[in-house]
Amino acid sequence: MDIKTLWGLRVQEYYRKMFRYYSIIGASVFYFFLIISSILIYFFNLFLQWIPPQISVEVILSLLVTYILKRTKVRTFVKRADILFLLPLEWRLKPYFIKSLIYSFVIDVIKLVSFITVFLSLFLHTTNINLLFLFFIVGIVVYNILMKWIEQWLENHVQLVLHRLNRFFLIYLMCYFLFKNDWIYVLILMSINLVYLINFIRKKRNLNWQWQIDEEESALLRNFKFINFFIDVPNLKRSFRRRRLLTMILQRCIPYSQSSTFVYLYSHLFVRYNDYFYLYLRLTVIGIFVNYAMPASGWIFNLLILFMTGYQVIPLQHEMKESVLLYPISKSQIKDSFLKFVLVILYAQFFILYFAMFMHTSNANLFNLVIGSLFVYVFVYFFVSKRVNVLGSTFKE
């Protein structure tokens, strides 16, 4: 193994794997993704116009940039076997990890530049975009990467929580002052943090290999979860919770019969798997908020929320283990159960959003109720039904 070429080989291996997935996604849903993104940007701009004058745009932009940077992962492309094979060579791996830090820095800069480009009109309205602005943006990204990197040496959970709070508020304050054109405050904060970072990093420490592996696996899992919304990703690890109260409610609501077997199983998967459950909650809360902030356009956004929810729960059909085929139930009945499950959760979401609109405005009329109900039915039985078993589900005829 050549240490000098190891990093390049790992990156090439990663991008070859990702290219296979994203080429399939790009060929099938690129235009859909483009349309959805455009609609979301449109509604985001409407939301910014709705913001009360007491809340400045800089506050919102700073929170969004801080959120983007807080999700940073230092990509080292290490593997579990490296603990055995590379640990004895740790003293020769300094160039490897420097490249990883530079790579993570470049990715974060690309994210921020993309965000600024999409909402350029807002940034031009709030701040002067010039070389000094870009210099400070680069400085904030460097600070964020280094603050993330030193997490591996924190000794306990309390230190980790305090460190992350410190990182969050300092990034937010630097972004806020940057967008307000108060350069001197950004420079002061950067100088203080530079002293802190130098004092922390100058001490020689061994790498925390377990932290490196956990970070890399977490970054890969996040990527695969996104891909899994469009195509099936084999052997994808899921986080779950039992949620006993919701499980008890399901047991009472779903009839005890053979025809309801897979409705029961899909419902339990949906409730227990954090990915799908939190996705449903997030989109529902966003829909309620939009109905409050922009009631005139709420019914359009409700249809978009229903579409996004329904589209992103389609991969749930692949989560069944092969052992479920032992049930003496036909494959067509399994498909009907999945469609019934999707129909129920979408109708439940729609009525929650409609009720939120009804409580806030008179725009929630019978027309909106009929349109939303028809949309859910048509979407499930004409759109979702064509995609059940299409991408290689475990149930095959």
Side-chain angles (χ1 to χ4, degrees):
M1 181 187 295
D2 189 351
I3 297 296
K4 294 181 180 179
T5 60
L6 178 62
W7 191 86
L9 292 173
R10 290 280 175 88
V11 173
Q12 290 176 20
E13 178 187 354
Y14 168 76
Y15 276 101
R16 276 198 300 268
K17 183 187 297 183
M18 290 299 107
F19 180 77
R20 288 198 298 270
Y21 286 117
Y22 281 104
S23 60
I24 297 172
I25 294 174
S28 57
V29 297
F30 173 76
Y31 292 107
F32 153 77
F33 194 73
L34 192 63
I35 292 170
I36 295 297
S37 300
S38 302
I39 295 173
L40 290 175
I41 291 171
Y42 168 75
F43 276 102
F44 181 75
N45 281 280
L46 286 181
F47 163 71
L48 291 175
Q49 294 173 16
W50 167 83
I51 294 175
Q54 296 86 355
I55 302 177
S56 64
V57 175
E58 292 88 347
V59 172
I60 305 299
L61 290 176
S62 300
L63 282 173
L64 290 173
V65 172
T66 304
Y67 174 76
I68 292 171
L69 292 178
K70 279 290 290 179
R71 291 177 61 81
T72 293
K73 296 288 184 184
V74 179
R75 300 302 307 274
T76 55
F77 305 101
V78 295
K79 302 178 180 179
R80 288 206 167 269
D82 292 343
I83 293 181
L84 296 176
F85 296 104
L86 293 184
L87 184 59
L89 299 174
E90 182 177 319
W91 61 279
R92 294 180 54 190
L93 290 174
K94 186 176 180 180
Y96 179 97
F97 289 105
I98 289 176
K99 290 177 182 177
S100 297
L101 290 170
I102 294 172
Y103 171 85
S104 302
F105 160 77
V106 171
I107 293 298
D108 270 6
V109 168
I110 292 173
K111 288 179 184 177
L112 280 187
V113 170
S114 301
F115 177 78
I116 292 171
T117 302
V118 171
F119 300 104
L120 184 61
S121 60
L122 295 173
F123 283 93
L124 290 175
H125 176 70
T126 60
T127 189
N128 297 321
I129 297 182
N130 49 35
L131 286 178
L132 187 60
F133 174 84
L134 296 176
F135 168 78
F136 280 120
I137 282 289
V138 168
I140 291 172
V141 173
V142 170
Y143 161 76
N144 179 61
I145 292 292
L146 293 177
M147 287 290 282
K148 181 67 180 178
W149 179 251
I150 64 179
E151 282 185 5
Q152 63 181 300
W153 294 307
L154 299 178
E155 297 178 357
N156 54 57
H157 183 69
V158 174
Q159 287 186 3
L160 180 62
V161 171
L162 292 175
H163 177 82
R164 288 180 174 174
L165 286 173
N166 174 52
R167 177 177 157 218
F168 174 85
F169 285 113
L170 287 175
I171 292 175
Y172 173 78
L173 289 173
M174 284 192 286
C175 291
Y176 177 77
F177 288 129
L178 180 62
F179 299 148
K180 294 282 285 186
N181 294 315
D182 293 329
W183 314 106
I184 186 64
Y185 292 110
V186 183
L187 189 60
I188 291 171
L189 287 171
M190 280 189 172
S191 302
I192 294 172
N193 291 311
L194 182 61
V195 173
Y196 169 75
L197 288 171
I198 291 174
N199 182 62
F200 200 98
I201 294 175
R202 67 183 177 85
K203 299 177 183 178
K204 290 186 177 181
R205 294 180 173 89
N206 294 326
L207 291 173
N208 186 336
W209 282 89
Q210 189 57 53
W211 182 89
Q212 308 280 351
I213 292 168
D214 291 341
E215 279 289 295
E216 184 61 24
E217 290 184 347
S218 175
L220 281 173
L221 182 61
R222 182 190 297 173
N223 220 331
F224 284 138
K225 284 179 179 178
F226 173 77
I227 294 170
N228 196 62
F229 286 130
F230 304 99
I231 59 177
D232 186 27
V233 178
N235 304 319
L236 181 62
K237 294 181 180 179
R238 296 286 186 187
S239 60
F240 66 93
R241 292 182 61 185
R242 294 189 63 180
R243 298 189 173 89
R244 296 179 181 178
L245 178 61
L246 289 175
T247 301
M248 289 173 57
I249 294 173
L250 289 176
Q251 290 173 347
R252 292 181 178 274
C253 293
I254 300 175
Y256 185 79
S257 63
Q258 188 182 59
S259 60
S260 301
T261 300
F262 276 85
V263 175
Y264 179 86
L265 292 175
Y266 282 125
S267 301
H268 275 69
L269 282 177
F270 172 74
V271 165
R272 290 180 174 178
Y273 276 144
N274 290 331
D275 298 343
Y276 296 101
F277 184 75
Y278 287 135
L279 167 76
Y280 186 83
L281 283 183
R282 282 195 299 267
L283 290 175
T284 305
V285 171
I286 290 170
I288 292 172
F289 183 77
V290 170
N291 280 316
Y292 174 80
M294 296 171 286
S297 305
W299 71 275
I300 302 175
F301 196 80
N302 288 347
L303 300 184
L304 178 63
I305 289 287
L306 292 168
F307 181 86
M308 292 173 64
T309 303
Y311 192 91
Q312 294 186 84
V313 298
I314 292 175
L316 185 66
Q317 65 177 301
H318 309 306
E319 303 296 344
M320 289 288 188
K321 295 182 179 180
E322 293 184 4
S323 58
V324 300
L325 295 176
L326 297 174
Y327 285 102
I329 297 176
S330 66
K331 306 304 180 291
S332 60
Q333 193 172 351
I334 295 175
K335 178 177 178 179
D336 290 341
S337 297
F338 182 74
L339 295 178
K340 183 179 179 181
F341 155 76
V342 177
L343 188 74
V344 169
I345 65 170
L346 290 186
Y347 270 131
Q349 186 179 50
F350 169 67
F351 286 120
I352 291 171
L353 297 178
Y354 180 81
F355 182 74
M357 183 187 294
F358 179 80
M359 293 294 292
H360 182 63
T361 176
S362 60
N363 289 335
N365 51 38
L366 184 61
F367 172 77
N368 295 340
L369 181 63
V370 173
I371 290 295
S373 301
L374 286 175
F375 175 82
V376 171
Y377 185 86
V378 171
F379 174 75
V380 171
Y381 286 104
F382 289 89
F383 183 85
V384 177
S385 63
K386 294 180 180 179
R387 285 157 178 78
V388 177
N389 298 336
V390 170
L391 299 175
S393 174
T394 51
F395 358 109
K396 299 179 181 178
E397 302 290 348

